[in-house]
Amino acid sequence: MMGPAHSLSGAAAWLVAGAVAAAAGHPMPWPTLVVGALICAGAALAPDLDHKAATISRAFGPFSRALCGIIDGIAHAAYKATRKKGDPRRSGGHRTLTHTWLWAAFLGCGCSAAAVFGGCWAVLGILFVHMVLAVEGLLWRQARVSSDVLVWLLGASSAWVLADALDDPGNGKDWLFTQPGQHYMWIGMPIVLGALVHCLGDALTVSGCPILWPIPVGRKRWYPVGPPKFMRFRAGSWVEVKVLTPVFFVLGGASALGALGVIG
Ligand SMILES: [Zn+2]
């Protein structure tokens, strides 16, 4: 899928999680719901950091371009080192290491640990990166014509405002993990969810997604998970724009109302 569909599916997934949490007796305060949805929308672009042309690789100028090169190299090396006989040879790392459940878990745990031990600057940093990505993903066309600096300013200011909203007592920093010293521990959850939703979205497209790695399937360790061939579509096709996008909107909207206790 392309950037906007990935981001929208990420936001919708967190809103669904909010509705489920409310039904399970752990309703999210509104800042947790809103910030989580935006983080998840941004995190749903993150796996494509292994591709030069992807939104995330262009989002932070030379810094993200350099990081993209490093990640692509690591992913390609991991592919070559762990491929079994059934895995085809390949020339780059796109859709390998960063498109697995293990990578999602690694990023989520890393960000939770950073938020818990790193204090407010770590939280602001995580928010800044994901807000910039959310703006790039959700306002795709608009963000493309405006300058990078403008998007960064928007990301920084929204990170600042949202971190402030979360920080007030009862407003979400201690959602789900309520013990002292566990503030912001939940912040890794939308990051894991966003990465997994990205992988599922890619799995629906023609090439599939090796989400299970390193668990082998038959003669392949990088087994491309996906539905039967006739159910798959090309990235950016009409299915994505005309069918999936409206579905994500309706699903997200209904879930948000459920999460906030308006319906349900
Ligand atoms: Zn991808």
Side-chain angles (χ1 to χ4, degrees), residues 14-15 17-19 28-38 186 255-256 259-260:
W14 185 255
L15 297 173
M28 295 177 188
W30 72 265
T32 307
L33 190 70
V34 171
V35 174
L38 289 170
W186 61 268
S255 301
L260 294 170

Side-chain angles (χ1 to χ4, degrees), residues 6 48 94-95 99 198 202:
H6 276 310
D48 280 346
H94 183 46
R95 278 202 184 172
H99 286 64
H198 177 106
D202 276 357

Side-chain angles (χ1 to χ4, degrees), residues 27 75 109 112 120 127-128 165 172 188 192 209 218 232 234 259:
C109 293
S112 279
C120 68
L127 281 176
F128 168 68
V192 173
C209 184
R232 301 189 189 189
R234 275 184 193 287

Side-chain angles (χ1 to χ4, degrees), residues 14 32 35 81 101 104 111-112 119 136 141 184 190 194 202 209 240 252 263:
W14 185 255
T32 307
V35 174
W101 66 272
C111 287
S112 279
E136 293 268 2
R141 289 237 170 71
Y184 296 108
D202 276 357
C209 184
E240 191 173 313
I263 54 168

Side-chain angles (χ1 to χ4, degrees), residues 74-260:
I74 294 174
H76 192 204
Y79 185 88
K80 280 193 290 195
T82 62
R83 71 183 258 266
K84 298 215 313 173
K85 287 213 169 58
D87 292 307
R89 278 177 200 285
R90 49 180 307 153
S91 55
H94 183 46
R95 278 202 184 172
T96 55
L97 186 61
T98 58
H99 286 64
T100 62
W101 66 272
L102 206 59
W103 181 267
F106 165 76
L107 267 192
C109 293
C111 287
S112 279
V116 168
F117 298 114
C120 68
W121 289 104
V123 172
L124 271 173
I126 294 167
L127 281 176
F128 168 68
V129 169
H130 288 89
M131 289 314 120
V132 169
L133 290 176
V135 170
E136 293 268 2
L138 296 174
L139 304 175
W140 203 38
R141 289 237 170 71
Q142 289 84 340
R144 276 202 170 175
V145 291
S146 70
S147 78
D148 280 351
V149 177
L150 213 64
V151 175
W152 297 337
L153 283 175
L154 187 59
S157 49
S158 51
W160 190 266
V161 170
L162 292 171
D164 199 45
L166 280 176
D167 205 45
D168 286 333
N171 244 0
K173 66 180 170 189
D174 55 357
W175 176 72
L176 202 58
F177 302 98
T178 51
Q179 300 302 313
Q182 295 182 344
H183 287 174
Y184 296 108
M185 198 178 255
W186 61 268
I187 223 160
M189 294 170 67
I191 292 172
V192 173
L193 189 63
L196 291 179
V197 165
H198 177 106
C199 294
L200 289 180
D202 276 357
L204 290 175
T205 59
V206 237
S207 40
C209 184
I211 188 165
L212 294 176
W213 180 86
I215 302 164
V217 177
R219 292 172 64 239
K220 292 182 175 175
R221 196 184 296 282
W222 296 88
Y223 183 81
V225 176
K229 282 268 186 296
F230 75 94
M231 288 173 66
R232 301 189 189 189
F233 58 86
R234 275 184 193 287
S237 73
W238 66 272
V239 184
E240 191 173 313
V241 181
K242 295 260 157 58
V243 181
L244 292 178
T245 304
V247 166
F248 296 148
F249 258 107
V250 173
L251 188 67
S255 301
L257 295 178
L260 294 170

